[in-house]
Amino acid sequence: MSSTAHLATDPIASGWSKLPPEYAIPEDAPSLEVAQEYCRRLARSHYENFSVASWFLPARLRQHFFNVYAYCRISDDLGDEVGDPAASLQLLEEWERELNACYDGEPRHPVFVALAQTVRMFEIPKKEFTDLLAAFRQDQTITRYSTFNDLLGYCRNSANPVGHLVLYLCGYKDSERQRLSDYTCTALQLANFWQDVTADFDKGRIYLPLEDLRRFDVGEQEIREARNTPAFREMMRFEVARAREWFAQGLPLAGKVSRELAIDIELFSRGGLEILNAIESQNYGVLGRRPSISKSRKLALVARAALGKLI
């Protein structure tokens, strides 16, 4: 059978073929050193803000953050970059088997070889990783959210575990800090949703609660045609204000963690608030024109965070 015919009949092989070749699960596990380098390379090449944030981390934690980020990055891509929900679900299933192997001591993928050391050292429950996979699976089957509470349920899996993982790496396991982290992580997720309404719609998804579309008399047709009507702008004004409230509820966390982590929390929170500011600055017309933070504003945020570390 030709390789093309094999891909056509094997959805898992077809799914992996849509992703970078280095994502594939190898036959044999690499050494810990090779696995750690894999995670470092992935983190540094895929997400500029992650590299910026890592400047403020204690050196002893950086590799562990790279390991966790690599897991999150590939998991997200398995759900979002394949273009075939059925294939994505099968890839996520295979990925979870590797996660189980990570906890059982016999993983083959470099991410899990590196991550195994991290989960042992910081006693991270598997649930934090499996909750993320639940969100990526949900994206394959659910494309609309009836209520804001339904959307919060999605954020509990898609965003909040990331904050928990960061807290574990920094030595915090209590529910109070996790609760405050959840406000910040959910707020960041909401800011990203409001920024990416058009991009998400192009993927077949609407994260704006349907109850809000009805309340403000906004139809999907307006989103499809990228028409920033007065009604749509008024709805987005409401959504931005709601996200700001969630950021405000998470602010006390910075006073309950180490100085290094507090700087990162401030950096990410201010970055999220800057997204909301960018939406506001274009009068909430996000359709067809993605709001973004200018390079100068990003540099200002980093400079402010760096100054906080020096003072």
Side-chain angles (χ1 to χ4, degrees):
M1 179 185 294
S2 70
S3 59
T4 303
H6 176 67
L7 290 176
T9 58
D10 183 350
I12 292 183
S14 175
W16 284 119
S17 74
K18 308 281 182 56
L19 298 165
E22 61 268 22
Y23 279 18
I25 300 171
E27 287 297 321
D28 300 306
S31 67
L32 178 61
E33 182 180 0
V34 169
Q36 289 177 335
E37 172 55 29
Y38 177 101
C39 294
R40 281 197 297 273
R41 188 171 61 251
L42 188 67
R44 286 172 171 157
S45 64
H46 275 68
Y47 189 32
E48 60 178 349
N49 289 342
F50 182 87
S51 294
V52 166
S54 69
W55 294 346
F56 304 107
L57 293 171
R60 63 185 172 80
L61 293 179
R62 284 178 190 157
Q63 181 63 55
H64 298 293
F65 272 85
F66 292 148
N67 300 345
V68 167
Y69 175 79
Y71 170 82
C72 295
R73 174 73 275 154
I74 295 181
S75 299
D76 189 23
D77 286 351
L78 293 178
D80 227 26
E81 300 299 326
V82 175
D84 177 349
S88 280
L89 287 170
Q90 293 198 43
L91 293 184
L92 288 166
E93 191 70 29
E94 191 170 16
W95 194 239
E96 186 166 6
R97 284 197 291 271
E98 272 294 290
L99 174 63
N100 292 333
C102 169
Y103 275 82
D104 294 338
E106 295 183 346
R108 288 181 293 141
H109 196 283
V111 164
F112 293 106
V113 172
L115 195 62
Q117 182 186 56
T118 300
V119 298
R120 285 195 303 270
M121 185 175 298
F122 297 94
E123 300 178 340
I124 303 174
K126 191 194 298 184
K127 183 178 186 298
E128 304 295 356
F129 297 105
T130 57
D131 281 354
L132 284 169
L133 296 184
F136 300 136
R137 287 191 178 99
Q138 191 168 326
D139 272 333
Q140 309 313 310
T141 56
I142 298 176
T143 61
R144 303 290 188 275
Y145 291 86
S146 295
T147 68
F148 184 62
N149 280 337
D150 291 336
L151 187 62
L152 292 181
Y154 173 77
C155 292
R156 275 194 289 274
N157 287 335
S158 68
N160 298 357
V162 176
H164 297 178
L165 289 168
V166 170
L167 288 172
Y168 274 109
L169 293 181
C170 293
Y172 303 110
K173 304 178 182 179
D174 59 287
S175 59
E176 173 63 12
R177 287 184 180 88
Q178 288 188 357
R179 183 182 66 82
L180 292 172
S181 169
D182 289 348
Y183 284 122
T184 299
C185 290
T186 291
L188 282 166
Q189 180 81 89
L190 295 176
N192 288 146
F193 285 155
W194 307 160
Q195 179 186 35
D196 288 326
V197 175
T198 292
D200 288 331
F201 187 81
D202 289 343
K203 296 175 183 177
R205 301 170 189 159
I206 294 179
Y207 291 105
L208 290 160
L210 298 183
E211 65 181 2
D212 294 344
L213 269 68
R214 288 193 297 271
R215 174 182 171 184
F216 289 91
D217 196 23
V218 174
E220 288 193 19
Q221 190 70 14
E222 289 156 66
I223 300 175
R224 180 178 295 106
E225 296 174 358
R227 288 190 288 117
N228 291 293
T229 62
F232 179 84
R233 292 177 192 270
E234 195 58 33
M235 179 182 66
M236 291 309 303
R237 182 192 300 274
F238 169 77
E239 303 296 3
V240 165
R242 182 148 63 177
R244 288 190 192 280
E245 291 173 3
W246 282 75
F247 275 118
Q249 291 182 87
L251 282 177
L253 178 62
K256 298 176 180 290
V257 297
S258 68
R259 192 169 188 179
E260 291 89 353
L261 181 55
I263 291 170
D264 272 349
I265 291 170
E266 179 183 355
L267 187 61
F268 281 112
S269 295
R270 290 189 181 279
L273 287 167
E274 283 295 327
I275 291 173
L276 299 180
N277 290 341
I279 294 172
E280 186 175 6
S281 71
Q282 57 190 61
N283 195 23
Y284 306 98
V286 300
L287 298 178
R289 182 185 165 203
R290 184 180 189 266
S292 60
I293 306 173
S294 69
K295 186 169 287 187
S296 62
R297 285 302 300 153
K298 289 181 182 178
L299 290 173
L301 292 172
V302 173
R304 179 168 180 165
L307 183 63
K309 188 171 185 179
L310 293 173
I311 293 175

